[in-house]
Amino acid sequence: LVGITAGADTVGEGSAIVIGVIAGVLVVFSILFFDKIRVDDPVGAISVHGICGIWGTLAVALFSDAATIVGQAVGIAMVCAFAFVFSFVVFLILIAAMSLCCIRCCGCDC
């Protein structure tokens, strides 16, 4: 489902099946890979939404005339960069807030 979401309005039924089958294979190998490198992803969200989402976005260019592979790759890179920067900033804010909370509560510097 995640694999075909990006191109649901631009690809035919046969192409949608091919995209879905490839996404189904990708998710299995992706989960095995992330388990092997010991990434903590108990529900497989990285594999399903990350890997299959990237595949589905690239598949729009491969299975329809609605986009180019370069345009889709640039879009993927921009979304990944935004997600990384946003998450990093939120992480820094949480670390600062937790440190301030700890100092206020117990006076320690943890």
Side-chain angles (χ1 to χ4, degrees), residues 85-99:
V85 170
F86 184 80
S87 298
F88 189 74
V89 169
V90 169
F91 180 69
L92 291 177
I93 291 169
L94 286 172
I95 287 177
M98 295 298 275
S99 294

Side-chain angles (χ1 to χ4, degrees), residues 14-110:
S15 296
I17 291 170
V18 171
I19 292 168
V21 167
I22 292 171
V25 171
L26 279 174
V27 75
V28 170
F29 286 109
S30 178
I31 288 172
L32 293 174
F33 171 75
F34 286 119
D35 284 346
K36 186 175 182 172
I37 64 170
R38 303 183 70 109
V39 172
D40 185 24
D41 187 21
V43 296
I46 296 170
S47 298
V48 173
H49 295 282
I51 303 301
C52 291
I54 288 171
W55 157 245
T57 303
L58 291 174
V60 171
L62 299 175
F63 290 91
S64 74
D65 296 330
T68 65
I69 196 83
V70 173
Q72 296 298 91
V74 168
I76 291 166
M78 297 297 287
V79 168
C80 290
F82 174 80
F84 177 81
V85 170
F86 184 80
S87 298
F88 189 74
V89 169
V90 169
F91 180 69
L92 291 177
I93 291 169
L94 286 172
I95 287 177
M98 295 298 275
S99 294
L100 289 174
C101 179
C102 184
I103 291 170
R104 279 191 219 136
C105 294
C106 63
C108 65
D109 186 23
C110 35

